[in-house]
Amino acid sequence: MTNPFTLKFDNRFATLGERFYTPMPPEGVSRDPYMISTNPAAAALIGLPAEALQHAHAAEIFAGTRELPGGKPLAMVYSGHQFGQWAGQLGDGRALLLAQVRNNAGELWDIQLKGGGKTPYSRFGDGRAVLRSCIREYLCGEAMAALHIPTTRGLCIVGTNELVLRETMEPGAVFTRLARSHVRFGHFEHFYYNDMHDELRQLADHVIEEFFDEARNAPAHQRYGLWLTEVVARTATLLAQWQAAGFCHGVMNTDNMSILGLTLDYGPFGFLERFDPSYICNHSDHHGRYAYSEQPSIALWNLYALAHALQPLIKSEESSAILKQFEPVFLTHYKRLMRAKLGIAEAERGDDALLAELLGLMREGGADYTLSFSALANSVDAPEMFTTLFHPSAREKAKLWLSGYHGRMRGAALEALHNVNPRYSLRNWVAEVAIRDAQDKGDYTTLEAVLNIISHPFDAHPEYTHFMQSAPEAYRELCVSCSS
Ligand code: AMP
Ligand code: MG
């Protein structure tokens, strides 16, 4: 095969200069790396032929051991607020931007390694990633993409044959992720709090030129205001999508907030199973700052932190007015998405109450979030599939709700809901089965099966229906934390 890695390189971020990053090749790994999983759907996004990932050099390139010719590897610097406190300088501590490329549609994409070794921003960390967290991030990015939720994507996972110390020694891996950009709210905070206001403007112009058409084409005095307006709108829309999908991020620090409104940095995330708005997916989050129900207001908190850092570009009176848009944009999208989950195209009076009643009942009856909505599609012919999701004490009420709902739908074809409400979400226990098979047995067939299921979550996958269910006994006590 001739060099299959001849991508259209366009290393834009590198043109900003070294106040924005440290140029450096990845440390790489010492032993022979090997390909664990490849994702042709993501390869297509950057114009990489799927065969390239099978090339003899692919594992070394995506372990950081072999150079990707045309790339300009660099570690970005950023800062951020973590759990509400200013954390100062952070940065790509175990991530490295390998290259930026344009696909045939002219879109710019970052190729980033995670776990490829130390950088000047590693602080006390080892710059490594464990296979467990690589698999979780890989699967979840693809699950979100399949739900049409903006996200980073997973290109491949390479095994390193090295052990990495976390709570125990664990097999190491390098994850390659793709994103239109990895720039975070925390990038702007970094330049603001370090009094580097020229760089702040330079970075704002950099993202506007590439990703914010309206701001780019606007008169100079409206440029930054329109940009922030769009960032607020994208973030509010993203949060509406998270809430509707029952996705809980777990670590919504400003350094994990994408300026493009992507879901970024999957750590201790979780999808709701038994519906509980106060669900906390991150076991290190003792006060529930990032509980499911808190996510929209935390996103707004983070936008305030961003707007504060953008004061040199946008006066606070203007940004205050812009931030007021968050709530209406969020609510409009959230309500539209939730109506769609019920199959309601045209809103009527009483729809908000219908939804609120259902969520209340799901909470009271401990019903599974994904399964409850999924069961609506067959609820005329098989109402028990819906009602038995509720604790026996709440089943009569669930039946009553269902008959009210059927009345509201007036014979509409509910089967079409199978295209709206996924049958499968990436349950932590399912990811864990894939992880244990990979870690303990070197068997990646479950990983591939789960990747396929969550990439097509609206399909039935009859041979895997057990992965639709909530955790069996052996997986009930799963604990996910920031450690990865
Ligand atoms: P996170 O909580 O994963 O968003 O990470 C917060 C910061 O810690 C980021 O700047 C990471 O780059 C850094 N970090 C996390 N884990 C490691 C590690 N194993 N080695 C080096 N840096 C890390
Ligand atoms: Mg992070």
Side-chain angles (χ1 to χ4, degrees):
M1 204 191 303
T2 51
N3 178 11
F5 300 100
T6 47
L7 298 157
K8 283 190 213 148
F9 292 94
D10 189 358
N11 299 300
R12 308 291 307 170
F13 198 85
T15 66
L16 288 172
E18 295 188 15
R19 290 172 315 287
F20 294 84
Y21 58 82
T22 302
M24 58 174 290
E27 223 173 46
V29 297
S30 51
R31 306 217 202 142
D32 284 347
Y34 58 97
M35 200 53 88
I36 287 181
S37 182
T38 61
N39 183 11
L45 297 171
I46 54 169
L48 184 71
E51 310 83 74
L53 294 169
Q54 310 304 329
H55 188 276
H57 293 170
E60 289 180 353
I61 289 176
F62 297 111
T65 303
R66 178 184 286 269
E67 184 190 345
L68 175 62
K72 277 221 162 94
L74 59 89
M76 296 177 170
V77 63
Y78 52 81
S79 296
H81 280 86
Q82 299 186 317
F83 288 89
Q85 308 290 328
W86 177 242
Q89 185 187 299
L90 303 164
D92 288 338
R94 63 180 151 172
L96 199 94
L97 181 64
L98 208 55
Q100 288 176 291
V101 300
R102 285 200 189 272
N103 65 14
N104 284 337
E107 291 174 352
L108 188 67
W109 283 86
D110 286 4
I111 306 176
Q112 199 189 62
L113 297 188
K114 203 163 167 186
K118 277 191 189 153
T119 75
Y121 314 109
S122 297
R123 298 182 294 161
F124 308 109
D126 55 9
R128 299 291 167 194
V130 294
L131 179 57
R132 168 175 54 92
S133 63
C134 292
I135 289 178
R136 284 176 53 82
E137 177 154 10
Y138 182 62
L139 290 176
C140 199
E142 294 313 289
M144 297 295 266
L147 297 172
H148 317 296
I149 302 177
T151 177
T152 57
R153 301 292 299 267
L155 181 67
C156 61
I157 301 177
V158 173
T160 60
N161 278 314
E162 291 176 342
L163 290 175
V164 174
L165 177 65
R166 292 295 180 264
E167 278 89 8
T168 57
M169 295 299 278
E170 291 191 45
V174 183
F175 171 57
T176 302
R177 69 179 171 186
L178 309 176
R180 298 295 310 278
S181 169
H182 286 87
V183 172
R184 301 144 192 272
F185 289 9
H187 273 90
F188 298 94
E189 293 181 285
H190 180 76
F191 296 112
Y192 174 71
Y193 287 101
N194 286 292
D195 285 325
M196 297 166 76
H197 297 178
D198 289 344
E199 286 79 4
L200 180 77
R201 184 180 298 267
Q202 203 188 335
L203 188 64
D205 288 339
H206 174 83
V207 295
I208 289 169
E209 285 302 320
E210 195 65 46
F211 303 109
F212 293 89
D213 295 345
E214 213 186 329
R216 179 179 57 237
N217 297 323
H221 69 281
Q222 292 177 2
R223 182 180 180 91
Y224 301 112
L226 282 172
W227 170 52
L228 182 61
T229 304
E230 177 73 17
V231 174
V232 169
R234 288 193 198 184
T235 307
T237 309
L238 178 73
L239 266 289
Q241 290 180 290
W242 284 5
Q243 299 307 102
F247 174 76
C248 201
H249 181 283
V251 204
M252 289 177 67
N253 294 332
T254 57
D255 53 304
N256 291 338
M257 295 291 293
S258 151
I259 199 70
L260 301 188
L262 309 174
T263 315
L264 175 69
D265 278 11
Y266 294 93
F269 66 82
F271 283 87
L272 292 179
E273 297 201 34
R274 204 170 47 78
F275 180 63
D276 174 9
S278 62
Y279 174 62
I280 304 164
C281 60
N282 178 359
H283 286 245
S284 321
D285 181 8
H286 305 295
H287 302 291
R289 178 179 171 86
Y290 300 137
Y292 168 75
S293 58
E294 298 302 307
Q295 294 189 120
S297 33
I298 288 292
L300 181 57
W301 192 97
N302 289 337
L303 284 163
Y304 269 97
L306 174 68
H308 186 80
L310 296 181
Q311 284 176 94
L313 307 179
I314 313 166
K315 295 259 174 307
S316 54
E317 306 82 72
E318 189 185 354
S319 56
S320 296
I322 294 169
L323 289 163
K324 289 208 169 67
Q325 283 307 304
F326 180 89
E327 193 174 326
V329 175
F330 169 78
L331 283 175
T332 303
H333 281 271
Y334 177 72
K335 286 186 181 183
R336 185 179 52 75
L337 290 168
M338 296 311 284
R339 272 200 307 271
K341 287 178 86 62
L342 295 176
I344 296 172
E346 295 292 329
E348 283 179 19
R349 261 181 57 193
D351 288 344
D352 285 354
L354 187 74
L355 176 66
E357 258 175 59
L358 173 61
L359 293 176
L361 263 177
M362 283 165 60
R363 180 184 197 172
E364 181 189 331
D368 183 274
Y369 188 79
T370 303
L371 294 180
S372 296
F373 283 103
S374 171
L376 292 179
N378 305 99
S379 61
V380 174
D381 296 334
E384 72 287 352
M385 275 176 66
F386 175 79
T387 50
T388 52
L389 295 168
F390 295 77
H391 188 270
S393 63
R395 274 185 205 157
E396 272 312 308
K397 286 190 204 160
K399 246 186 228 167
L400 263 178
W401 181 88
L402 198 59
S403 70
Y405 170 63
H406 288 158
R408 162 69 178 90
M409 300 313 288
R410 294 181 284 274
L414 294 182
E415 293 82 45
L417 281 179
H418 275 312
N419 304 318
V420 180
N421 297 324
R423 296 172 199 254
Y424 293 87
S425 72
L426 179 61
R427 297 175 190 273
N428 273 343
W429 81 269
V430 174
E432 189 65 18
V433 177
I435 289 167
R436 289 189 193 170
D437 281 354
Q439 260 182 197
D440 304 346
K441 304 181 205 155
D443 176 356
Y444 307 120
T445 48
T446 312
L447 172 60
E448 293 306 316
V450 176
L451 178 64
N452 180 48
I453 292 166
I454 52 85
S455 299
H456 306 95
F458 302 101
D459 297 349
H461 305 285
E463 67 281 36
Y464 289 108
T465 50
H466 55 294
F467 285 160
M468 278 186 196
Q469 308 303 324
S470 47
E473 197 60 42
Y475 289 88
R476 290 267 157 82
E477 300 302 317
L478 266 186
C479 175
V480 286
S481 67
C482 283
S483 144
S484 54

